[in-house]
Amino acid sequence: MCGIFGFISNSISESDLLYSTNFLKKRGPDAGGIYYDPPVGLGHRRLSVIDLNQGSQPMFSEDQSIVVVFNGEIYNFKKLKTELGKTGVEFLTQSDTEVIIKCYQAFGWKVCLEKLEGMFSIALLDKNLEKLFIARDRYGEKPLYYTRGSFGFMFSSELKALNSFFYKKKISLKGLNLYFSLTYIPAPYTIYEDVYKLCPGHYIVVDYNGNYEIQKYYDLKKIVHGGVNKLITDYDNAKKTLSKLLFESVEERMVSDVPIGSFLSGGIDSSIVSAIMAKISSEPVKTFSIGFKEKAYDESERAALVAKHIQSDHTLHVLGHEELLAVVDEVLAYFDEPFGDSSAIPSFMVSKKAREKVTVVLTGDGADELFGGYEKYLGLYYATRWKKIPTVIQNFIKNVISLIPHTNLTNHELRKAKKLINSASLASIQRYIQLSSLGFSDREKQELMMVDYYQSSDSDIGIYFSETSFLSELDSTFYSDINMVLEGDMLTKVDRMSMFNSLEARVPFLDSKIVDFSFRLPIHFKIQGKEKKKILKDTFADLLPPETLTFSKKGFGLPLRIWFKNELKSELLELLDYDFVELQGIFRANYIQKLIDEHMRNHENHSVKLWVLFVFQKWYQKQRF
């Protein structure tokens, strides 16, 4: 796991290259290296995981014509070495980086990428062609930012390394509006105008003049379309296939020359991954979880139950409000742009704790999107039943719900009920857009933002849903979430918070063979009535305590509603001060004051909206606009 930076430019010096690369030290604390031969500069920071002695970067081909810097892991590199070895290709190291070079030389760039199974952002310079090839993995596990400006073409694993090379005060309206709708900014956008994220499954070709072209090498839509025509109808065979694929994926991701463990939240996904690791490993698996002193948010007993069952070497760290609040500023700042998923804070804490004992962890991310784990996936189920209720009774229920105050006891169910009722009468794509808009709906954004800053984000949020009209509503939802929610939110959170602590996180559920397989399953294999992730539970039930299969999903929730009334109240009011907001000119101060007032009086729970505003204002202050 590493961080990479580079450019095609005649105006960036070698010292600038070294300076910018060193912004990525948390991603790669073990070593650093640069290649500088104008107009090309490539920088690398290394977290040593595979081939500790010979895997240094930049890495060169034997004739020095190919130069690579690489962030990530290629899980099938040993298979590719065997394949290439049969054609006479020889290797000098045990690293997966050398496999990338040999694979490129043997097959060319696009075919090489199609053969790689892993998480990565790669920059490969071919001196003979005078071209730089840059790629991002299929699902966006590893980040890659780029910009083309007066300095030339630049790219990096994180925005912070690009800070000197673009105009930071130019906010992207597209990025701004997506953030306030989704609470995060998905690829290809960032909060800055003219700075972009490379979309998953894409690559860039840059010439020595800085001109570039973007191409796609992995098309999930084709995979999904093919899956629809090859549906698996035998449930028992489906379970056997899923078990085989996930065991193989976990085993591949356990290859490491440094200590390895797993995150164990107590939820079904991380429990399955940890249990499989325990089956494969000859030693007790190191598992890590955090607990909360606030019991409503605590899953530590669930995690302890699984840890005992699989006999792991379990580490539990129980957190209080003070410990979480103490890291808010540094966590938010590390993202370099507004990121409103508050579970990043506990994710940071569990990564920090794990790094004390291991360098690599496996996680359960991706299972929700592939096998139907989110509550929003029941939106169609509830909508169908809601429509059968007479209008008079519907109106009565809505009126009653509007009168119930938000308290510790009512908050969760009230928010869920309001969201589902509001989406019940909508068309499929509109229901998806609304249930995905965790921040502000389009109507609410019009009330929040001044005219010059508001843009509708509906078409951008629904873009993947709209291109899969051949799918059912739920399959279109899964497809959209893999493209947008995984990349923009879940994987971003895991990558930044683990790398902040120089910890590598690997995601077994995102093996491409498992993704392909998931789209060959009928919906009722995944969701049956209100039961989510049915096939996952049925397939791996024998590995887990029976109680685990009936636990409701919690996630890393934070008591934001309470914080904004107590510990964070003064800072919230300062950041959203009426006069400051008026002077800022982005938001309508009256509307923000209305949100604050309704929240403080328990009339509505605006904790997510206020958190999104809080995070943005913290970012905005650092920009010194």
Side-chain angles (χ1 to χ4, degrees):
M1 188 65 64
C2 311
I4 63 174
F5 167 79
F7 55 78
I8 300 286
S9 172
N10 286 304
S11 58
I12 302 177
S13 68
E14 186 172 5
S15 61
D16 290 333
L17 170 61
L18 185 60
Y19 176 77
S20 294
T21 301
N22 281 338
F23 275 107
L24 305 173
K25 265 191 175 181
K26 286 188 180 294
R27 299 188 74 89
D30 296 333
I34 61 171
Y35 168 83
Y36 184 71
D37 185 12
V40 183
L42 299 174
H44 184 264
R45 290 298 315 182
R46 186 184 186 201
L47 176 65
S48 302
V49 173
I50 299 288
D51 194 3
L52 306 188
N53 297 320
Q54 295 181 288
S56 297
Q57 298 181 40
M59 185 173 283
F60 298 81
S61 61
E62 291 167 30
D63 65 359
Q64 306 290 300
S65 67
I66 309 296
V67 191
V68 166
V69 288
F70 158 55
N71 166 32
E73 302 290 347
I74 306 302
Y75 301 122
N76 65 336
F77 79 99
K78 291 183 178 180
K79 293 178 182 176
L80 289 172
K81 281 185 74 171
T82 301
E83 179 184 343
L84 290 164
K86 290 177 179 177
T87 65
V89 175
E90 296 181 353
F91 293 85
L92 302 176
T93 75
Q94 299 301 313
S95 77
D96 51 355
T97 309
E98 187 183 10
V99 172
I100 296 171
I101 294 174
K102 302 289 189 180
C103 194
Y104 167 74
Q105 291 176 317
F107 304 113
W109 185 238
K110 188 171 184 289
V111 175
C112 171
L113 293 174
E114 290 170 349
K115 285 180 173 287
L116 300 181
E117 184 68 59
M119 56 177 185
F120 55 79
S121 55
I122 304 169
L124 182 149
L125 174 68
D126 189 324
K127 294 184 193 178
N128 294 329
L129 295 179
E130 295 191 342
K131 287 185 178 179
L132 180 65
F133 299 88
I134 305 168
R136 191 177 183 195
D137 63 64
R138 289 174 174 87
Y139 311 110
E141 291 185 61
K142 294 293 101 187
L144 199 289
Y145 295 85
Y146 68 94
T147 185
R148 173 72 167 88
S150 57
F151 284 96
F153 180 94
M154 279 77 60
F155 68 90
S156 177
S157 294
E158 293 181 8
L159 274 168
K160 53 180 63 68
L162 297 177
N163 275 343
S164 302
F165 306 108
F166 64 89
Y167 184 56
K168 290 173 63 180
K169 294 187 178 181
K170 197 171 181 182
I171 293 177
S172 163
L173 294 185
K174 184 83 77 172
L176 177 74
N177 279 268
L178 280 166
Y179 168 72
F180 277 100
S181 292
L182 297 170
T183 74
Y184 58 90
I185 305 172
Y189 307 106
T190 71
I191 194 62
Y192 299 107
E193 193 73 38
D194 301 323
V195 184
Y196 300 95
K197 302 178 182 91
L198 182 61
C199 287
H202 285 68
Y203 66 89
I204 305 176
V205 183
V206 194
D207 65 25
Y208 273 21
N209 293 315
N211 301 313
Y212 69 93
E213 183 180 3
I214 298 176
Q215 298 286 338
K216 180 186 290 189
Y217 71 89
Y218 176 74
D219 192 341
L220 181 59
K221 187 167 68 172
K222 286 184 179 178
I223 300 294
V224 173
H225 196 282
V228 170
N229 296 322
K230 298 178 182 177
L231 279 182
I232 299 170
T233 57
D234 187 306
Y235 192 63
D236 288 335
N237 282 341
K239 288 194 298 177
K240 289 176 185 175
T241 302
L242 176 56
S243 179
K244 177 176 179 293
L245 290 175
L246 192 54
F247 263 85
E248 289 175 350
S249 179
V250 169
E251 187 168 18
E252 281 190 332
R253 283 153 183 79
M254 289 177 69
V255 175
S256 172
D257 294 331
V258 293
I260 188 169
S262 73
F263 288 157
L264 178 58
S265 68
I268 187 74
D269 310 327
S270 64
S271 296
I272 289 170
V273 170
S274 300
I276 292 174
M277 290 178 72
K279 283 285 186 183
I280 293 171
S281 177
S282 58
E283 302 289 333
V285 173
K286 290 179 171 61
T287 54
F288 303 89
S289 66
I290 56 173
F292 297 101
K293 292 178 182 177
E294 180 73 38
K295 288 301 175 185
Y297 300 90
D298 185 46
E299 280 191 306
S300 61
E301 290 182 1
R302 299 180 177 188
L305 181 69
V306 176
K308 182 179 179 181
H309 186 80
I310 66 173
Q311 298 182 316
S312 67
D313 176 5
H314 190 56
T315 299
L316 168 66
H317 184 48
V318 179
L319 302 168
H321 287 193
E322 302 80 9
E323 198 170 354
L324 291 164
L325 287 163
V327 300
V328 166
D329 284 356
E330 61 179 326
V331 166
L332 297 182
Y334 193 76
F335 285 95
D336 301 321
E337 64 177 344
F339 183 79
D341 184 341
S342 63
S343 65
I345 295 169
S347 295
F348 167 82
M349 298 304 294
V350 73
S351 295
K352 183 178 181 181
K353 207 66 187 172
R355 188 61 177 92
E356 295 175 4
K357 295 185 177 181
V358 300
T359 309
V360 176
V361 291
L362 271 58
T363 83
D365 292 283
D368 286 318
E369 292 82 0
L370 294 175
F371 298 103
Y374 293 131
E375 194 66 24
K376 72 177 181 181
Y377 297 150
L378 299 181
L380 178 60
Y381 172 87
Y382 287 117
T384 304
R385 279 143 188 79
W386 177 257
K387 290 174 184 177
K388 294 177 180 178
I389 300 173
T391 304
V392 174
I393 299 177
Q394 285 184 9
N395 291 334
F396 174 76
I397 294 172
K398 289 178 184 177
N399 289 333
V400 170
I401 286 176
S402 69
L403 296 173
I404 301 173
H406 283 266
T407 67
N408 283 347
L409 292 175
T410 64
N411 180 53
H412 177 73
E413 293 304 325
L414 267 181
R415 288 181 62 196
K416 176 179 166 182
K418 288 178 179 180
K419 195 88 169 176
L420 291 171
I421 288 172
N422 290 337
S423 68
S425 61
L426 300 176
S428 294
I429 189 168
Q430 290 303 319
R431 179 163 36 250
Y432 176 77
I433 291 168
Q434 177 164 308
L435 293 176
S436 298
S437 298
L438 302 178
F440 293 81
S441 68
D442 201 56
R443 178 188 58 77
E444 291 167 336
K445 271 198 326 190
Q446 290 182 63
E447 294 186 67
L448 170 70
M449 306 178 81
M450 302 296 284
V451 173
D452 289 345
Y453 285 89
Y454 164 77
Q455 287 183 358
S456 173
S457 300
D458 283 3
S459 60
D460 292 302
I461 296 171
I463 187 169
Y464 297 108
F465 196 102
S466 63
E467 69 182 29
T468 52
S469 57
F470 58 90
L471 294 177
S472 68
E473 177 175 335
L474 274 173
D475 274 325
S476 289
T477 300
F478 299 150
Y479 171 80
S480 300
D481 281 357
I482 291 167
N483 278 288
M484 186 174 66
V485 180
L486 258 181
E487 182 277 333
D489 186 357
M490 304 306 172
L491 296 176
T492 296
K493 174 183 64 182
V494 170
D495 174 81
R496 300 307 186 282
M497 293 301 91
S498 60
M499 295 316 309
F500 194 159
N501 292 282
S502 303
L503 178 75
E504 177 176 299
R506 302 177 178 177
V507 188
F509 279 106
L510 288 185
D511 187 287
S512 64
K513 294 184 291 297
I514 295 176
V515 175
D516 295 359
F517 165 79
S518 75
F519 280 101
R520 294 184 59 205
L521 299 177
I523 289 296
H524 65 274
F525 282 15
K526 301 178 183 181
I527 299 178
Q528 205 164 89
K530 292 196 295 181
E531 183 183 3
K532 303 186 294 292
K533 290 192 282 199
K534 177 176 172 53
I535 192 169
L536 266 188
K537 296 173 184 176
D538 289 350
T539 301
F540 299 103
D542 61 325
L543 298 183
L544 302 173
E547 303 95 315
T548 305
L549 305 177
T550 59
F551 286 151
S552 59
K553 186 177 181 64
K554 276 192 177 182
F556 275 158
L558 289 181
L560 295 178
R561 189 183 68 83
I562 299 168
W563 281 4
F564 283 139
K565 291 185 170 189
N566 299 284
E567 293 91 346
L568 290 180
K569 183 176 180 179
S570 61
E571 189 173 11
L572 175 73
L573 295 179
E574 181 183 342
L575 289 168
L576 298 178
D577 173 73
Y578 189 96
D579 292 336
F580 175 71
V581 172
E582 284 273 283
L583 184 64
Q584 191 178 13
I586 298 175
F587 311 112
R588 300 181 192 275
N590 286 331
Y591 181 70
I592 289 179
Q593 293 305 308
K594 174 174 171 283
L595 293 179
I596 294 172
D597 180 62
E598 289 178 348
H599 185 83
M600 298 305 173
R601 290 191 295 109
N602 288 333
H603 182 65
E604 289 285 350
N605 177 14
H606 291 311
S607 56
V608 175
K609 291 182 173 64
L610 293 177
W611 178 253
V612 171
L613 283 162
F614 179 89
V615 170
F616 179 83
Q617 295 295 74
K618 298 278 271 188
W619 169 84
Y620 187 89
Q621 280 189 337
K622 289 184 178 297
Q623 305 307 299
R624 297 182 183 152
F625 283 101

